[in-house]
Amino acid sequence: MSDKIEIDRDTWVLVLTGAGVSAESGIPTFRASPDGLWENHKIEDVASPEGFADNPALVWRFYSERRAKAKSVEPNPGHHALVALEEKLGDRFLLATQNVDGLHGRAGSRRLVEIHGNLFKTRCSTCERDPFDDEDLYASNEVPGCGKCAERGDFGLLRPHIVWFGEMLDPRDLHRISRFMANAPKLLFIAAGTSGAVYPAAGFVNNARKFGARTVLINADAADNGAEFHRWIQGKSGAVLPELFDVR
Ligand code: BV8
């Protein structure tokens, strides 16, 4: 590994991961298929409130397929490297992930913010019940209903607890991330396996720089927001991350 990143005792580390970190586990990235389609649908259309309103069964099929895939794969060395870094740094470390596959949690990450939700959580689009764990795979024409709503004689449509395109991220998540940046005596911001195409996550590097952060991108290809980073390490996260950090 050419020139490691030295982390001294005053440095706090914020990591943002994207689909590229899960690619080596076998989960296709969003830009893997050059046309970005799933069953001839633009992903941005399926992963949207409009898409769900229009065809909830299709959207549930999309997420059921991704649940099955995510359950069938294992975390890779990139996930484990971030767990090891968290164990060394403790509360000087925070991991924000755009990934909804749950692999960081399965690898052992605990200081983790899943800013776009999690495939294995479901909530009711009608009542205010909390999101609940749900690993069920729904048949192609099945649309699950909410049991709590049914108890009241209503019909509530269950939906994946996922932040869709056009939906706001949880302000508590964004606040936790911005507070971490603001409280860091010295901040190192690392983005790994992300094309920097989706906001507000793609803007985190700009926020970090406002706090004087050193910023490093680890990505297989050039990213849309690549120019915002002080350094780009071109490579696979599963190979780069385990060798990258020199914690003092
Ligand atoms: C928001 C859950 C405020 C879904 C996701 C018009 C109307 C409404 C909104 C917008 C609009 N125009 C723009 C917006 C904002 C929009 C946006 O950014 N759109 C983009 C497409 C331009 N953002 C939003 O809508 C966000 N909300 O802004 O709310 C608002 C509200 C209303 C109106 C206006 C504003 C919500 C965004 C969250 C969407 N949900 N996920 C699901 O997963 O099913 S985003 C989804 O796509 C993923 O979570 C992920 O974030 C994103 C894909 O990005 P990446 O993770 O970066 O993956 P990608 O495949 O792109 O790249 C992988 C990279 O890895 C590649 O570069 C590759 O080279 C690299 N790689 C591959 N292998 C490896 C590797 N690198 C290292 N190692 C390897 N082995």
Side-chain angles (χ1 to χ4, degrees), residues 18-20 23-24 29-32 44 47 62-63 66 98-100 116 162-169 193-200 218-222 235-237:
E24 288 160 80
T29 66
F30 286 78
R31 278 134 190 91
E44 280 82 11
F62 175 59
Y63 284 96
R66 292 173 65 200
Q98 300 173 89
N99 300 337
V100 297
H116 290 163
I162 292 274
V163 180
W164 281 329
F165 289 96
E167 292 189 321
M168 304 293 279
L169 278 65
T194 180
S195 62
V198 176
Y199 287 83
I218 299 151
N219 212 55
D221 306 299
K236 292 194 166 201
S237 47

Side-chain angles (χ1 to χ4, degrees), residues 7-13 92 183-188 248:
I7 300 173
D8 65 25
R9 302 188 61 76
D10 295 330
T11 297
W12 292 19
V13 181
R92 293 193 286 137
N183 293 341
K186 276 163 70 178
L187 182 64
L188 169 64
R248 297 296 168 95

Side-chain angles (χ1 to χ4, degrees), residues 97-244:
T97 187
Q98 300 173 89
N99 300 337
V100 297
D101 56 39
L103 287 178
H104 284 301
R106 284 177 51 197
S109 290
R110 290 296 170 265
R111 291 180 57 78
L112 169 65
V113 189
E114 294 179 313
I115 61 172
H116 290 163
N118 185 300
L119 277 175
F120 300 101
K121 286 197 183 298
T122 293
R123 71 174 192 254
C124 179
S125 54
T126 306
C127 74
E128 293 307 308
R129 71 187 285 191
D130 288 340
F132 55 93
D133 292 336
D134 178 11
E135 299 210 354
D136 285 356
L137 306 179
Y138 296 98
S140 58
N141 56 357
E142 187 189 350
V143 177
C146 171
K148 303 272 184 215
C149 287
E151 285 165 12
R152 292 193 309 275
D154 295 334
F155 177 73
L157 195 48
L158 292 181
R159 60 162 281 178
H161 183 53
I162 292 274
V163 180
W164 281 329
F165 289 96
E167 292 189 321
M168 304 293 279
L169 278 65
D170 187 328
R172 292 166 300 187
D173 290 344
L174 296 175
H175 183 64
R176 182 175 179 195
I177 292 162
S178 53
R179 214 174 55 238
F180 185 86
M181 290 186 193
N183 293 341
K186 276 163 70 178
L187 182 64
L188 169 64
F189 176 72
I190 306 266
T194 180
S195 62
V198 176
Y199 287 83
F204 286 4
V205 58
N206 306 88
N207 304 347
R209 291 190 64 158
K210 287 192 187 107
F211 291 105
R214 271 185 298 159
T215 59
V216 181
L217 173 67
I218 299 151
N219 212 55
D221 306 299
D224 292 6
N225 63 347
E228 305 302 324
F229 290 85
H230 295 106
R231 183 181 167 202
W232 169 30
I233 301 173
Q234 183 166 19
K236 292 194 166 201
S237 47
V240 172
L241 286 172
E243 305 298 326
L244 185 58

